[in-house]
Amino acid sequence: MKTAIFAHRGSKSNRPENTLSAFEEAMHVGSDGIELDVHLTKDQEVVVMHDEKVNRTTNAKGQIKSFTVNDLKELDAGSWFSPQFRGERVPTLKEVLDLLSDFPGVLNVEFKTDHNVYPGIEEKVVRLIDLYRSNLPVVYSSFNHESLIRMKHIDPSADVALLLWERLADPWRYTEQVGASAQHLWEASALTETSAQLQEHGIKVRAWTVNKPKNMQRTFEMGIDAMITDYPEVALDLRKSFEEAKALRR
């Protein structure tokens, strides 16, 4: 089994994160999956950004939930990263799904509901996914596991994954209780015996955020199901070398 490579917030190392440019690059390098984050605006539109505030990745300040989608579209979401990306806009989830309509890999949608309450965000996201990605793979993740439980009530067939920093005792029990198929574990937790315990119970492990080549190599050696990384092109090259070396040893 090959360890899948998920591009974290798009190709975050060389493009402004969670923008159309970042997602285009993630597709271009051949990522197996793309991870993104969703919030709700003041006028109840689903938009893609990591932080609850626009401060870090735009030229404005304030909570996303205080802006309408038209307000957000006036912001520059690229200059903070590089002058080359001046004028990059905050994308709506609809725009991203349109861009990724032919992307055959896994789309990982993270609900950023662990700090702000966004009533109804799960239903809105499911509606958009049904319109744009009904026959393509999607996994929903969140640190707020209530969001994942709501997802399973909305769509019992939804593929959900627990986002976790820490390792749990008997980690498969809680995962099964929530109805999740995977744990998205912080790198330091994933690179332990916990990953094998989960996999023995049929639960996938995706490690985040794996950026050091030596740790990428360890995920391959351990047979971890996927890594989420800011450097998908580096991980893909290393995986190719790892697979070639493994084939020679057979």
Side-chain angles (χ1 to χ4, degrees), residues 148-176:
L148 304 180
I149 292 169
R150 283 194 288 272
M151 275 298 310
K152 295 297 284 187
H153 286 153
I154 295 163
D155 179 5
S157 68
D159 190 3
V160 304
L162 306 174
L163 260 169
L164 292 162
W165 284 93
E166 69 282 358
R167 299 157 60 191
L168 303 177
D170 296 338
W172 60 91
R173 296 188 191 279
Y174 177 62
T175 310
E176 292 168 349

Side-chain angles (χ1 to χ4, degrees), residues 104-187:
V106 179
L107 179 64
N108 177 191
V109 178
E110 180 182 341
F111 291 108
K112 300 300 288 186
T113 51
D114 42 321
H115 293 292
N116 284 339
V117 176
Y118 295 122
I121 189 172
E122 296 87 5
E123 290 91 343
K124 289 178 182 293
V125 168
V126 167
R127 242 177 271 133
L128 287 168
I129 293 294
D130 285 345
L131 282 172
Y132 286 88
R133 206 172 170 81
S134 59
N135 297 314
L136 292 167
V138 178
V139 60
Y140 303 97
S141 62
S142 186
F143 285 105
N144 179 2
H145 301 165
E146 290 180 356
S147 265
L148 304 180
I149 292 169
R150 283 194 288 272
M151 275 298 310
K152 295 297 284 187
H153 286 153
I154 295 163
D155 179 5
S157 68
D159 190 3
V160 304
L162 306 174
L163 260 169
L164 292 162
W165 284 93
E166 69 282 358
R167 299 157 60 191
L168 303 177
D170 296 338
W172 60 91
R173 296 188 191 279
Y174 177 62
T175 310
E176 292 168 349
Q177 181 183 346
V178 173
S181 66
Q183 283 193 12
H184 290 189
L185 275 174
W186 179 45
E187 174 186 63

Side-chain angles (χ1 to χ4, degrees), residues 70-87:
N70 288 336
D71 292 336
L72 287 176
K73 286 296 182 184
E74 295 297 317
L75 307 184
D76 182 342
S79 292
W80 68 275
F81 186 84
S82 166
Q84 175 186 351
F85 296 100
R86 181 176 292 112

Side-chain angles (χ1 to χ4, degrees), residues 50-77:
H50 179 267
D51 302 358
E52 287 73 28
K53 294 181 179 181
V54 302
N55 303 31
R56 181 175 63 86
T57 57
T58 77
N59 59 334
K61 292 183 178 181
Q63 294 268 345
I64 292 173
K65 64 182 182 180
S66 300
F67 290 81
T68 67
V69 69
N70 288 336
D71 292 336
L72 287 176
K73 286 296 182 184
E74 295 297 317
L75 307 184
D76 182 342

Side-chain angles (χ1 to χ4, degrees), residues 2 40 82 98 127 142 168 219 221:
K2 288 184 181 180
L40 277 186
S82 166
D98 190 38
R127 242 177 271 133
S142 186
L168 303 177
T219 67
E221 292 165 355

Side-chain angles (χ1 to χ4, degrees), residues 167 185 187-197 218 222 224:
R167 299 157 60 191
L185 275 174
E187 174 186 63
S189 296
L191 298 177
T192 67
E193 67 278 4
T194 291
S195 289
Q197 291 172 353
R218 285 187 66 194
M222 291 175 65
I224 287 175

